[in-house]
Amino acid sequence: MILGFTVATISDWSFLTATGIYLLAMVFATVSSSANTRIPVAVGALEPPLRDDRAGRMGLALTWLGFGLHAAAVVARGIAAHRWPLGNLYEYVMVITLVATGGWLIVASRFPVRHMAVWVLLPVAGLMVLDGKVFYAQAAPVSPALQSYWLIIHVTTAAAATGALVVPGIASVLYLVRAARPHLKLPPSETLDRVAYRATIIGFPLFTFAVICGAVWAESAWGRFWGWDPKEVTSFVAWVMYAAYLHARATAGWRGVRAAVLNVLGLAVLVFNLTFVNLVTSGMHSYTGLN
């Protein structure tokens, strides 16, 4: 109990506030993408007028603020539950969206892709709204099957890998959109392609490690490495998609649109795995925490 509030309440309110701040940041990002204002310069100046992107800077600052509250929500959740905060679907999505936002902030600091902001924040904030409304579960101990050190290793790596692959997937989506609609205000195709490739290079080894750890945990818990469980199958399909993308991207004849399609398909399988497989199918990985 802290000043009359439980740690679980602090986690819930931090997560809710972070969601609202991301939505507000998305509004500023939209204004930034649609604005045409420029800083006035003196007549005869040699330098071209620079765009006054106050809305973009405000959106980025708000994203950093939301990220801090988001991280605090995850930490407080673990303290409230007295365990590693990855025991159900609500917590899993909390971490995925946290990593996705952190990945976006890193990309935004290294590449001129600020016009991607609204397209990154839209699915992240939307998933967080869904998480709080549909996936929410009270802070409580996990089931006996999850009381293992593999929870920290496997599930954390899987959540981190999924979050890390969100931004490159969106970059590939925007690459395809720009190829079809070149007049839209989006980062250059070369930049989008470079962001997608470099970020996937980081996310794919994490995802590979998560799949391997999952197989080892399955053998330890159930006596087999592979059992055709729906989540195992979709995870393997996603792994194949990303492996094919990296191979295609490194091959001169498969760059551009065709490589971007593979990356988008990989993200689509991850989303399918996160939503449909967790909510509709039943299997050995049915630990959503939902009634």
Side-chain angles (χ1 to χ4, degrees):
M1 189 78 68
I2 301 177
L3 299 178
F5 294 94
T6 64
V7 179
T9 303
I10 293 174
S11 174
D12 294 344
W13 278 103
S14 296
F15 185 73
L16 178 63
T17 305
T19 304
I21 290 175
Y22 288 154
L23 290 171
L24 183 59
M26 188 175 66
V27 173
F28 279 98
T30 303
V31 173
S32 173
S33 297
S34 59
N36 292 311
T37 56
R38 291 179 178 272
I39 300 175
V41 295
V43 176
L46 297 178
E47 293 293 331
L50 299 176
R51 187 167 177 272
D52 185 6
D53 194 19
R54 295 178 183 175
R57 294 195 300 271
M58 179 61 71
L60 190 61
L62 286 171
T63 305
W64 275 107
L65 176 60
F67 179 76
L69 289 170
H70 197 163
V74 174
V75 173
R77 179 74 175 193
I79 295 173
H82 303 288
R83 56 168 172 77
W84 195 250
L86 274 169
N88 51 56
L89 184 59
Y90 171 70
E91 297 166 359
Y92 189 70
V93 173
M94 282 181 71
V95 175
I96 287 176
T97 49
L98 177 67
V99 175
T101 305
W104 159 243
L105 290 171
I106 293 173
V107 167
S109 67
R110 294 177 176 270
F111 298 93
V113 290
R114 191 170 292 178
H115 289 315
M116 274 184 62
V118 63
W119 305 106
V120 175
L121 292 174
L122 178 61
V124 167
L127 191 57
M128 290 174 68
V129 171
L130 183 67
D131 195 31
K133 289 289 186 180
V134 180
F135 302 157
Y136 181 78
Q138 295 288 341
V142 296
S143 61
L146 293 180
Q147 294 177 3
S148 169
Y149 61 88
W150 283 110
L151 173 68
I152 299 176
I153 301 174
H154 168 61
V155 184
T156 301
T157 310
T162 303
L165 290 169
V166 169
V167 173
I170 293 173
S172 289
V173 171
L174 296 180
Y175 182 93
L176 297 177
V177 171
R178 186 171 180 80
R181 300 289 182 87
H183 64 279
L184 294 180
K185 186 179 290 186
L186 293 171
S189 298
E190 296 78 8
T191 302
L192 292 171
D193 182 59
R194 188 162 62 251
V195 167
Y197 181 60
R198 293 187 179 181
T200 303
I201 288 177
I202 296 174
F204 180 71
L206 286 174
F207 191 66
T208 302
F209 183 72
V211 171
I212 294 173
C213 289
V216 175
W217 190 8
E219 197 281 330
S220 175
W222 304 319
R224 87 294 188 279
F225 291 101
W226 179 267
W228 294 101
D229 184 79
K231 186 168 283 292
E232 294 174 353
V233 173
T234 51
S235 295
F236 179 71
V237 172
W239 184 90
V240 171
M241 288 291 182
Y242 282 111
Y245 164 74
L246 291 177
H247 176 73
R249 178 58 178 74
T251 304
W254 269 82
R255 293 189 180 185
V257 172
R258 290 185 292 182
V261 168
L262 288 175
N263 203 20
V264 172
L265 288 176
L267 179 63
V269 175
L270 285 183
V271 173
F272 178 82
N273 195 10
L274 179 64
T275 55
F276 184 85
V277 173
N278 279 320
L279 299 177
V280 178
T281 65
S282 61
M284 301 299 290
H285 290 81
S286 299
Y287 302 120
T288 63
L290 302 177
N291 293 325

